[in-house]
Amino acid sequence: MYHSILVPVDISDPDFTQQVIAHVEAQANITDVAHVHFLTVIPTFPYYASLGLAHSGEAPNQEQIKNEALSKLSELIDQFDIPADRIKKHVVSGSPKDEILRVADSIKADLIIIASHRPGILTYLLGSNAAAVVRHAKCSVLVVR
Ligand code: ADP
């Protein structure tokens, strides 16, 4: 039914994968033409740090961070039972909600599958990134609780 499925992944939150795995597999395997785009967004280097106000030693190497994020993302994707030729991986930096919406447009996503919030955080029914995606996405969004 869906042909271009976007799955935003917060790689700092390993429990996320367990939450969405069955839903992603179910939607991805309805037809054998569906592509699943896994996306992780590396939050941009904080502005105050760019002004030299942070006390961190060296500025992190962006290329190295991107490579590490890609290998972490690949490890998480290995848990999904989806044919490799139908999987695409995206690592970008910026604001998670803005980049999720931008990539959704660029891959012409017809479904976004997202977890509602970090497990264990009971205060919010919907995290800020999930809420922005639900509000602004042009396609259907499956929020996994
Ligand atoms: P919380 O604030 O509780 O972490 P979020 O709205 O940030 O809630 O997270 C909900 C979901 O949003 C995550 O499970 C993931 O799907 C997506 N998400 C959050 N941060 C990122 C990120 N940096 N890259 C990709 N997806 C993200």
Side-chain angles (χ1 to χ4, degrees):
M1 175 160 182
Y2 296 107
H3 291 97
S4 183
I5 301 169
L6 178 62
V7 183
V9 178
D10 179 354
I11 53 170
S12 66
D13 167 16
D15 290 338
F16 158 84
T17 319
Q18 300 312 319
Q19 229 177 320
V20 301
I21 210 160
H23 299 271
V24 174
E25 287 176 356
Q27 296 301 329
N29 292 323
I30 290 176
T31 72
D32 56 9
V33 291
H35 280 84
V36 182
H37 296 257
F38 289 93
L39 163 69
T40 194
V41 183
I42 303 164
T44 349
F45 204 54
Y47 178 63
Y48 63 84
S50 72
L51 294 176
L53 299 176
H55 292 286
S56 62
E58 288 171 25
N61 176 329
Q62 289 298 313
E63 200 54 39
Q64 194 185 333
I65 292 175
K66 239 177 174 168
N67 287 338
E68 280 168 18
L70 182 61
S71 79
K72 182 82 193 159
L73 180 66
S74 301
E75 267 174 41
L76 294 175
I77 293 172
D78 283 345
Q79 299 175 65
F80 289 75
D81 184 16
I82 300 166
D85 61 342
R86 294 204 278 117
I87 290 177
K88 299 264 188 307
K89 302 171 192 176
H90 307 261
V91 177
V92 300
S93 45
S95 141
K97 48 181 167 292
D98 291 345
E99 290 305 311
I100 293 167
L101 292 164
R102 188 185 61 77
V103 172
D105 277 351
S106 79
I107 63 163
K108 296 186 171 54
D110 46 14
L111 179 67
I112 301 173
I113 301 178
I114 195 165
S116 55
H117 57 84
R118 227 167 300 166
I121 297 184
L122 300 173
T123 336
Y124 302 105
L125 290 176
L126 211 52
S128 64
N129 290 298
V133 171
V134 168
R135 185 176 285 257
H136 298 290
K138 295 176 190 145
C139 64
S140 300
V141 180
L142 172 57
V143 178
V144 180
R145 284 224 160 90

